[in-house]
Amino acid sequence: MIPAFRKFLPLFDRVLVEKFVAETVTKGGIMLPEKSQGKVLQATVVAVGPGSVNQKGALQPVSVKVGEKVLLPEYGGTKVILDDKDYFLFRDADILGKYVE
């Protein structure tokens, strides 16, 4: 079976990401209620569009690649549900940064 994000190709400068799961247990083993869990601002890029066209008509490629870990803004993005999994669609310019390994 083909993964859901393989069936979905973002257009223009859009980036499809899968957010990391929020931690529900502290290192000491204490269970955290949902309200005290922080927002998850890290994600893995699962699909990217071809890029956007600049004023001169040239293609401006997307600045991230599939598999990279990125930092997202606290708000924004469009929720997309593919095969019962939550993904988020962001513009390339909305992504705050990427983690270098």
Side-chain angles (χ1 to χ4, degrees), residues 25-86:
V25 180
T26 65
K27 290 179 184 176
I30 299 171
M31 299 286 289
L32 295 173
E34 281 188 38
K35 289 190 176 198
S36 66
Q37 293 173 10
K39 283 199 170 223
V40 178
L41 301 178
Q42 297 174 342
T44 302
V45 176
V46 293
V48 295
S52 60
V53 178
N54 64 17
Q55 292 178 348
K56 295 181 181 179
L59 186 66
Q60 178 77 31
V62 178
S63 61
V64 294
K65 297 179 188 130
V66 173
E68 289 185 322
K69 292 178 180 28
V70 295
L71 181 66
L72 303 172
E74 189 169 352
Y75 301 102
T78 303
K79 185 176 182 178
V80 179
I81 299 173
L82 300 169
D83 286 349
D84 297 328
K85 280 187 86 176
D86 291 346

Side-chain angles (χ1 to χ4, degrees), residues 1-37:
M1 184 173 167
I2 298 173
F5 56 86
R6 298 260 189 233
K7 300 178 200 173
F8 181 84
L9 179 65
L11 297 177
F12 304 110
D13 64 341
R14 303 298 198 287
V15 178
L16 186 69
V17 298
E18 182 177 8
K19 288 187 177 181
F20 292 165
V21 178
E23 293 201 20
T24 57
V25 180
T26 65
K27 290 179 184 176
I30 299 171
M31 299 286 289
L32 295 173
E34 281 188 38
K35 289 190 176 198
S36 66
Q37 293 173 10

Side-chain angles (χ1 to χ4, degrees), residues 79-97:
K79 185 176 182 178
V80 179
I81 299 173
L82 300 169
D83 286 349
D84 297 328
K85 280 187 86 176
D86 291 346
Y87 297 94
F88 292 85
L89 204 54
F90 286 88
R91 287 185 180 270
D92 184 40
D94 291 341
I95 294 175
L96 302 177

